[in-house]
Amino acid sequence: MALAPAATALVVGLWGIRRRNSLWSDEAVTYEVAHRSTSDIWRLLAEADVVHGLHYFLMHAVFALWDGGPVALRLPSVLAVAVTAAGVGLLGHRLAGPRAGLLAGLALPLLPAMQRYAQEGRSYALVCALVTWGTWLLLEALDGGGRKRWAGYGAVMLAACLLHEFAVLGLIAHGTTVALSRKALRPWAVTAAAVVAGLSPLALFSATQSGQVAWIGAPDASDLGVFAATALLGTACARLGRATIRRPVSLPTLALPLLILPAGLLLALSLLRPLYVDRYVLYGSIGLALLIGAALDRLPSRATVATVSLVAATVALLPFGLQLRTPEGRSDNVNAVAEAVREMSAPGDGLVFTPARRAWVLANPGAYAHLDDLALASSPAASGTLFGTEVAPAEIRARMLAAPRIVAVADAYGEPGDSTGRAATKSAVLRAHFEVCDTRRVTRAQITVYARPGYC
């Protein structure tokens, strides 16, 4: 029940893990920050990204053991999905029988979202693994009680929440399962209160850095459509997979809250303050996989199960799986941007970023070494910030006017504007004193070469 899903997850996760040596900007941030010293990471977290602090320290330890580039960056996520698949297999076995468990565990690593985040150097797959085994420990505590079991459950769920705060929504899903099962509501409430208390210092401090999620927009029709379709699929699987054997906690009672509540609550909260991003509640895939496994188990014959499973696996892996393992499978590619800048620029050219988000540079600073970053005051590591600090607008203007050619790297979409006036200064100088020589769109970046008239 555990080994076959884990092995499948490893094979699927390791397939194309390098993505042709591409990195997208969030991974580039992880890569650069994890290579800083522990004191420099602490210094950064005082200013930004404290919500990802535990993951940065974990990746710092990984790179200290093996500095294996993109593979080392993504390998913890691959292993985490394998651990998640093993746990889902055991959960399915416990709640609906051996074949349902096996099918659920095999379905988990084939889900499109799990395939994606199994190969990303961020914390989301690790959170899934912790929520999965926290769910297992919850069932252990509900079956046998005892302070040690509840303490183990609380410790694992707190670890998940410290890796990413929105894992606390999984705690709410667990509370719904406990309430529907009418078992041990008081010890669960005490344990949940302890988890929330342990998370509170991080949550309160991260609230002071809320400007970092200003890029998140209100949920659109596609977000709502995907949520509705997934919820309907899960509900249909729950009806099909209803077990005839009575258990203290039924599979739908556990899986449906995990699938629906975290995403639904985050969507509802986004009506007040946009915070919904599907990867923040990736662990809802645990519930979906359990429901799919139970539904397949109820099909009338083994041949039907095998046929449906084969078709589903083929659809999941081809062509979606192929595209996901290319550089084009992510919203941007910092290495492709660096290569385009190298091709379009000449030694000594000026360089500006609008907005001042140097994620493009973090994983490959050598590619920009021949350029003069005109606005930079202090590098990310030296300043204890994510993207470095910039000089005052007047100094930026003076430096730009002294440069005959400037390469401007802009976010085409998805990032908030610069409220300090520096972006406005850069744009005004370029419009008034320079002409466009060349421009190129590379994934999410717009790269434009400007020059004084006659210098293109």
Side-chain angles (χ1 to χ4, degrees):
M1 298 310 105
L3 292 178
T8 301
L10 281 175
V11 171
V12 173
L14 292 173
W15 167 37
I17 189 173
R18 291 184 180 274
R19 296 207 310 269
R20 302 178 197 167
N21 290 321
S22 64
L23 288 174
W24 81 289
S25 52
D26 279 11
E27 288 184 303
V29 170
T30 302
Y31 186 87
E32 193 274 341
V33 172
H35 278 84
R36 300 185 191 184
S37 68
T38 54
S39 60
D40 282 344
I41 296 175
W42 278 115
R43 185 181 171 204
L44 165 69
L45 300 182
E47 301 293 331
D49 245 14
V50 70
V51 69
H52 296 298
L54 183 57
H55 186 239
Y56 290 149
F57 282 114
L58 172 64
M59 293 309 304
H60 177 82
V62 170
F63 285 123
L65 292 172
W66 176 49
D67 198 349
V71 175
L73 179 67
R74 294 168 185 150
L75 190 58
S77 293
V78 174
L79 297 175
V81 172
V83 170
T84 302
V88 167
L90 293 175
L91 284 169
H93 183 195
R94 181 172 191 154
L95 296 173
R99 192 169 71 153
L102 180 61
L103 290 167
L106 294 174
L108 187 282
L110 300 182
L111 295 176
M114 296 306 299
Q115 287 192 62
R116 171 172 179 166
Y117 293 106
Q119 293 190 339
E120 290 204 359
R122 300 295 273 179
S123 64
Y124 311 112
L126 297 166
V127 172
C128 278
L130 288 169
V131 171
T132 300
W133 287 95
T135 304
W136 175 268
L137 290 170
L138 173 65
L139 295 180
E140 288 281 296
L142 291 175
D143 282 350
R147 292 183 179 180
K148 288 185 178 180
R149 293 185 178 184
W150 283 110
Y153 165 68
V156 171
M157 291 305 296
L158 177 59
C161 294
L162 293 176
L163 266 177
H164 198 278
E165 292 173 10
F166 287 143
V168 75
L169 298 174
L171 197 68
I172 295 174
H174 286 164
T176 303
T177 297
V178 172
L180 291 174
S181 302
R182 299 177 182 177
K183 294 186 62 176
L185 188 56
R186 186 173 181 274
W188 175 85
V190 171
T191 305
V195 172
V196 172
L199 176 64
S200 293
L202 174 64
L204 291 172
F205 188 76
S206 67
T208 66
Q209 302 174 355
S210 60
Q212 287 191 261
V213 292
W215 60 271
I216 301 177
D220 57 22
S222 65
D223 293 322
L224 297 174
V226 170
F227 170 73
T230 304
L232 287 172
L233 174 61
T235 302
C237 288
R239 290 182 64 84
L240 180 62
R242 283 181 297 183
T244 57
I245 302 173
R246 298 288 297 174
R247 287 179 168 83
V249 177
S250 70
L251 187 143
T253 301
L254 179 79
L256 277 175
L258 267 177
L259 173 63
I260 295 174
L261 280 182
L265 290 171
L266 197 55
L267 281 167
L269 182 62
S270 294
L271 297 175
L272 302 175
R273 167 74 185 273
L275 288 171
Y276 179 78
V277 181
D278 57 358
R279 59 182 178 266
Y280 293 171
V281 287
L282 178 65
Y283 53 86
S285 298
I286 300 164
L288 181 59
L290 287 168
L291 292 163
I292 289 173
L296 288 173
D297 183 46
R298 299 291 288 172
L299 292 178
S301 70
R302 292 178 181 269
T304 304
V305 171
T307 301
V308 171
S309 300
L310 181 60
V311 170
T314 302
V315 170
L317 295 175
L318 301 170
F320 176 82
L322 291 173
Q323 192 272 341
L324 196 64
R325 288 159 176 80
T326 66
E328 294 74 28
R330 302 300 186 275
S331 62
D332 59 50
N333 179 1
V334 298
N335 292 333
V337 173
E339 179 61 20
V341 169
R342 186 191 63 78
E343 292 174 357
M344 297 171 69
S345 62
D349 285 351
L351 175 68
V352 295
F353 293 92
T354 56
R357 184 175 178 273
R358 292 174 172 77
W360 313 112
V361 180
L362 295 178
N364 193 7
Y368 297 82
H370 63 292
L371 303 175
D372 183 11
D373 193 338
L374 299 174
L376 186 65
S378 184
S379 69
S383 62
T385 62
L386 278 178
F387 305 122
T389 58
E390 295 196 340
V391 297
E395 180 64 19
I396 293 174
R397 185 177 189 278
R399 292 183 183 184
M400 291 177 69
L401 291 175
R405 279 170 44 101
I406 295 175
V407 179
V409 181
D411 278 303
Y413 65 90
E415 291 299 326
D418 186 344
S419 61
T420 64
R422 292 176 173 84
T425 298
K426 296 168 189 175
S427 297
V429 171
L430 290 172
R431 283 196 307 267
H433 301 282
F434 291 81
E435 62 184 18
V436 174
C437 303
D438 189 14
T439 187
R440 187 184 304 180
R441 173 77 174 269
V442 180
T443 62
R444 204 177 69 193
Q446 190 75 35
I447 306 163
T448 306
V449 178
Y450 294 88
R452 290 299 188 94
Y455 280 86
C456 275

